């Protein structure tokens, strides 16, 4: 949220002039027929993608030269909002004269960039980015029909965010490398989820196979497991594990060990004792909750000198961020 | 030609209303709560405005009409007030509302759910309304409040508030109605309707923006939303918006005066527009006419996406609105579109046209002409309309049935 976000209703104001012109007068709108294909000496391909009930549907016509795989002519029909019409028109323009293999490489990002007036100003507001995704999908559909293959064969990786074309592997890698904890952080690092927001969580504009919230939870779980494995391996090999990197169980054991070795004997000598009730992570601190037993319980020193001695022992032996809290 | 057919979103301020407000900006500008003459100079106008409001909705002297900043505030106040008064103490735990309320009701209800309140969202029937017997079926002895709109903003469908209030009375449950789309369009009598609370907003009936109200039957106690002063009898703190209150009073008086005109002239123009649109093959209107506010029509044009239709109308100088997800900032489909639609398509092809008493015959004739042009152009581009199988094409001009 910032100054520019406080007045809403500006979607249309954010369309580039090119988008507006294409909405008003699409250049490549229309149909191609078998007669057209005969005339040009090519093969007619008609591909449909989307559905009216989803709010977007596009039909792409290609006439392809079977000798060179070149797209000799292309046209479209579109049920959708103005940006869907403009995107489809631009996509058709970009297809013309390319081979089918080259056309498949055209993404919605190329389409959006081609509709910009200024190189650094987006052609459409973020939430309308999804309208250009349909243009990319229908190309793949047309190419799959022409080549007689499955649409999926053109995708070499799983795309989570269609608007920003961010893959599953990229998102997982970024989470792990930068220790990301929120979806907002993922968006900041990768742009995934910054546009139509469908890929963030279920219930958005369209149903997705993968959602950022699930990927984040799954990746964090993987990271946790990796951390546990690493800690166990280190322990097995007798390697010194820093207190910060220990698992909770390892921390409790280390605290108990330090108390047994350096604290308990002095308390017992005075007819007292102590036990650890709980250990909790609290931001940067590890809080150790203890209970005094025997003579220590109710002793005047238990909240001053004795407590200080226990805490400073643990700080010195294990971690300076340990706090001891008597209950 | 410029034509404004988005009067359910907001309306032009009636010049008479503006004239009534004018003196209270630069001439009589004192704070009404001050003791000096500058402050008290506005009191006669404020009292007159309150009289106009009470008169317009049939409120009695023992009832309260508290002026708020908008109906969103009024709706928030009722729901949160009831939560603090009846639910937080464990006495009750349940609120009933509908799936098609304005977000200032549904979003608050979702927030209340996070606080542990049980909320029932009643679906509407094919005519876009919730019937009284449906409300009755869901009331329990733990129900604190029923909140049902008087008229729907998208379809204009008028809800059976009187019958719903009978049910609420019988069951001893408080009833709130969001009257924003009813006040100024159809006769509203809070006593006959038997509601406990009603929200309204001046800018929907040719008054200024930023001023609304909450009717409270018998001054029913309700925890305040805004604390910090003794304004509005201590019920709603904040310096009185004198020009706004004066404007709202005048606007309500005028709206009441023009109700007959609304019922006859505005309805005739709306029907003329609707009939002309339904002459276009494969177009539909939502909800029966006789049970709609006289100024509203929601049409679906098969094969044409709502935002694209809005774009073309706008180019022709005509302002309308759509519930299409594609035109909203958050891309979320409007539930009413799906609720009353013959199929999912309506969620993407609906266009709402809402008239006012300032709409002219010439404007409607021009809109009809431009609407047809837009449909023709966009259907020519459409990938779905031209090759739609014949068996999918419904009879032209029929109303949607869920």
């Amino acid at each position: 949220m910032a100054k520019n976000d406080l007045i809403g209703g500006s979607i249309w104001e954010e369309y580039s002039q090119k988008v507006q012109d294409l909405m008003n007068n699409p250049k490549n709108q229309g149909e191609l027929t078998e007669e057209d294909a005969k005339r040009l000496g090519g093969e007619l391909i008609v591909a449909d993608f989307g559905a009216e009930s989803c709010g977007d549907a596009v039909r792409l016509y290609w006439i392809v030269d079977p000798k060179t795989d070149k797209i000799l002519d292309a046209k479209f029909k579109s049920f959708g909002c103005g940006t869907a019409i403009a995107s489809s028109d631009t996509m058709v323009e970009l297809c013309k004269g390319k081979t089918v293999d080259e056309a498949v490489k055209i993404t919605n990002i190329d389409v959006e960039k081609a509709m910009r007036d200024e190189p650094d100003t987006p052609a459409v507001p973020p939430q309308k980015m999804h309208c250009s995704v349909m243009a990319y999908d229908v190309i793949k559909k047309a190419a799959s029909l022409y080549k007689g293959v499955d649409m999926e064969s053109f995708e070499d990786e799983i795309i989570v965010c269609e608007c920003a074309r961010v893959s599953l592997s990229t998102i997982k890698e970024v989470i792990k490398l930068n220790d990301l904890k929120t979806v907002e952080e993922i968006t900041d690092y990768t742009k995934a989820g910054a546009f139509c927001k469908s890929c963030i969580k279920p219930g958005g504009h369209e149903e997705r196979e993968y959602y950022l919230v699930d990927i984040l939870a799954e990746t964090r779980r993987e990271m946790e497991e990796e951390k546990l494995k690493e800690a166990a391996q280190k322990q097995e090999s007798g390697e010194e594990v820093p207190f910060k990197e220990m698992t909770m169980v390892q921390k409790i054991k280390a605290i108990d060990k330090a108390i047994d070795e350096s604290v308990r004997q002095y308390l017992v000598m005075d007819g007292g004792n102590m036990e650890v009730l709980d250990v909790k992570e609290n931001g940067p601190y590890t809080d150790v909750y203890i209970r005094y037993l025997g003579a220590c319980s109710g002793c005047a020193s238990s909240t001053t000198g004795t407590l200080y001695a226990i805490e400073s022992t643990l700080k010195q032996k294990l971690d300076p961020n340990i706090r001891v809290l008597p209950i | 030609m410029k034509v404004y057919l988005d009067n359910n979103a907001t309306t032009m301020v009636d010049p008479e209303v503006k004239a009534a407000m004018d003196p209270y900006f630069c001439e009589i500008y004192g704070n009404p709560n001050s003791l000096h003459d500058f402050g008290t100079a506005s009191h006669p106008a404020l009292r007159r405005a309150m009289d106009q409001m009470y008169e317009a909705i049939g409120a009695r002297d023992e009832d309260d009409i508290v002026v708020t900043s908008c109906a969103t505030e009024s709706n928030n106040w009722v729901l949160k007030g009831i939560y603090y008064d009846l639910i937080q103490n464990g006495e009750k735990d349940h609120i009933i509302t509908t799936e098609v309320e304005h977000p200032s009701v549904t979003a608050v209800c979702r927030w209340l759910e996070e606080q542990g309140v049980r909320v029932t969202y009643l679906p509407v029937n094919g005519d876009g309304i919730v019937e009284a017997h449906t409300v009755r079926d869901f009331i329990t002895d733990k129900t604190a409040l029923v909140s049902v709109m008087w008229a729907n903003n998208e379809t204009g469908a008028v809800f059976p508030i009187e019958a719903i209030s009978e049910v609420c009375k019988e069951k001893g449950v408080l009833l709130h109605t969001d009257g924003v789309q009813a006040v100024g369009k159809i006769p509203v009598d809070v006593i006959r309707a038997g509601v406990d609370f009603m929200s309204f907003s001046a800018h929907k009936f040719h008054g200024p923006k930023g001023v609304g109200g909450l009717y409270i039957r018998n001054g029913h106690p309700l925890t305040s939303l805004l604390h910090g002063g003794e304004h509005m009898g201590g019920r709603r703190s904040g310096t009185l918006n004198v020009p706004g209150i004066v404007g709202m009073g005048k606007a309500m008086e005028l709206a009441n005066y023009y109700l007959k005109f609304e019922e006859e002239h505005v309805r005739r123009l709306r029907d003329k527009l609707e009939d002309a649109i339904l002459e276009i093959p494969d177009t539909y209107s939502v909800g029966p006419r006789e049970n709609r506010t006289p100024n509203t029509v929601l049409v679906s044009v098969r094969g044409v996406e709502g935002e694209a239709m809005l774009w073309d109308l706008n180019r022709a100088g005509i302002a309308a609105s759509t519930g299409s997800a594609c035109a909203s900032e958050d891309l979320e489909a409007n539930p009413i579109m799906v609720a009353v639609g013959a199929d999912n398509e309506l969620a993407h092809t609906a266009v709402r046209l809402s008239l006012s008493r300032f709409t002219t015959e010439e404007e409607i004739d021009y809109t009809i002409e431009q609407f047809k042009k837009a449909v023709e152009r966009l259907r020519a581009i459409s990938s779905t309309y031209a090759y739609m199988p014949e068996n999918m094409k419904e009879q032209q001009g029929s109303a949607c049935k869920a």
Side-chain angles (χ1 to χ4, degrees), chain A residues 125-293:
Chain A
Q127 62 269 51
K128 302 296 280 184
M129 225 8 220
H130 75 279
C131 303
S132 60
V133 172
M134 188 73 64
Y136 170 72
D137 286 325
V138 81
I139 291 179
K140 282 192 298 180
K141 182 76 184 287
S144 72
L145 289 172
Y146 177 71
K147 289 178 165 246
V149 295
D150 204 70
M151 251 179 95
E152 272 64 53
S153 64
F154 296 111
E155 283 288 8
D156 45 12
E157 51 187 356
I158 297 163
I159 298 293
V160 175
C161 174
E162 296 273 8
C163 297
R165 303 215 47 77
V166 186
S167 70
L168 181 61
S169 58
T170 300
I171 293 168
K172 291 184 86 136
E173 192 181 354
V174 167
I175 294 170
K176 285 181 180 175
L177 280 176
N178 303 287
D179 191 26
L180 304 185
K181 294 183 179 72
T182 64
V183 167
E184 289 74 18
E185 287 177 324
I186 299 173
T187 303
D188 287 344
Y189 275 78
T190 65
K191 283 199 170 172
F195 297 97
C196 81
K197 298 184 166 42
S198 293
C199 63
I200 293 177
K201 58 177 188 226
H205 180 63
E206 58 183 24
E207 216 174 310
R208 307 283 309 152
E209 193 179 346
Y210 292 91
Y211 294 103
L212 295 180
V213 286
D214 302 332
I215 298 167
L216 181 64
E218 176 66 25
T219 311
R220 297 289 317 172
R221 205 167 30 246
E222 282 173 20
M223 287 162 74
E224 203 54 45
E225 281 171 16
E226 281 163 21
K227 211 168 111 182
L228 288 172
K229 272 185 202 151
E230 207 179 314
Q233 277 163 359
K234 279 184 177 172
Q235 201 178 15
E236 225 171 292
S237 61
E239 195 183 324
E240 185 77 32
V241 183
F243 185 82
K244 263 196 192 62
E245 291 174 23
M246 287 179 184
T247 66
M248 183 53 88
V249 173
Q250 288 174 332
K251 280 180 182 174
I252 293 168
K253 282 180 178 169
I255 290 164
D256 269 336
K257 190 163 173 262
I259 288 168
D260 284 341
E261 285 174 359
S262 315
V263 176
R264 200 179 302 282
Q265 53 194 326
Y266 298 108
L267 303 182
V268 172
M269 268 195 309
D270 292 335
N273 204 340
M274 63 164 285
E275 63 175 347
V276 175
L277 292 174
D278 201 359
V279 177
K280 279 191 162 68
E281 298 293 2
N282 194 350
Y285 299 102
T286 303
D287 290 338
V288 181
Y289 293 89
I290 63 162
R291 187 168 62 164
Y292 288 112
L293 304 166

Side-chain angles (χ1 to χ4, degrees), chain B residues 19-172:
Chain B
M21 292 167 72
D22 262 348
Y24 301 93
F25 287 104
C26 302
E27 294 157 47
I28 305 167
Y29 54 82
N31 185 330
N33 279 40
S34 301
L35 298 177
H36 46 65
D37 289 354
F38 280 79
T40 53
S42 62
H43 286 197
L46 289 173
R47 275 195 284 269
R48 188 165 56 250
M50 294 309 283
D51 287 343
Q52 288 165 323
M53 290 178 218
Y54 273 69
E55 176 81 20
I57 60 170
R60 305 155 308 178
D61 288 359
E62 59 265 40
D63 300 327
D64 287 348
I65 292 179
V66 181
V67 176
T68 60
S69 65
C70 56
T72 292
E73 185 195 325
S74 305
N75 289 339
N76 267 263
W77 181 17
V78 172
L79 290 158
K80 290 174 184 173
I82 292 295
Y83 168 68
Y84 284 116
D85 297 342
L86 298 177
I87 297 177
Q88 222 187 15
N89 59 12
E91 198 180 321
K92 308 275 183 185
D93 68 2
H94 181 223
I95 286 173
I96 295 175
T97 186
T98 79
E99 280 181 353
V100 299
E101 296 297 312
H102 187 268
S104 58
V105 170
T106 50
V108 182
C109 285
R110 278 197 292 274
W111 178 81
L112 289 173
E113 282 185 285
E114 288 169 22
Q115 317 310 309
V117 181
R118 285 191 310 116
V119 182
T120 302
Y121 301 89
L122 298 175
V124 291
N125 64 15
D127 292 343
I129 58 162
V130 168
E131 306 217 43
H133 64 82
T134 313
V135 176
R136 180 200 303 269
D137 291 345
F138 286 89
I139 293 179
T140 73
D141 56 356
K142 285 287 195 181
T143 306
L145 180 77
V146 170
S147 178
V148 175
M149 61 187 4
W150 199 311
N152 182 266
N153 45 318
E154 300 289 348
T155 60
V158 178
F159 285 61
I161 289 298
E162 224 169 305
I164 291 171
S165 94
E166 290 296 324
V167 168
C168 291
K169 266 204 213 73
E170 181 193 320
K171 299 272 185 182

Side-chain angles (χ1 to χ4, degrees), chain A residues 9 12 23-24 77-78 128, chain B residues 307 311 326 329 377 380-381:
Chain A
W12 284 359
M23 285 163 87
N24 295 341
K77 289 273 201 176
S78 170
K128 302 296 280 184
Chain B
E307 196 215 353
W311 177 267
C326 235
E329 300 240 344
R377 180 182 100 92
I381 296 172

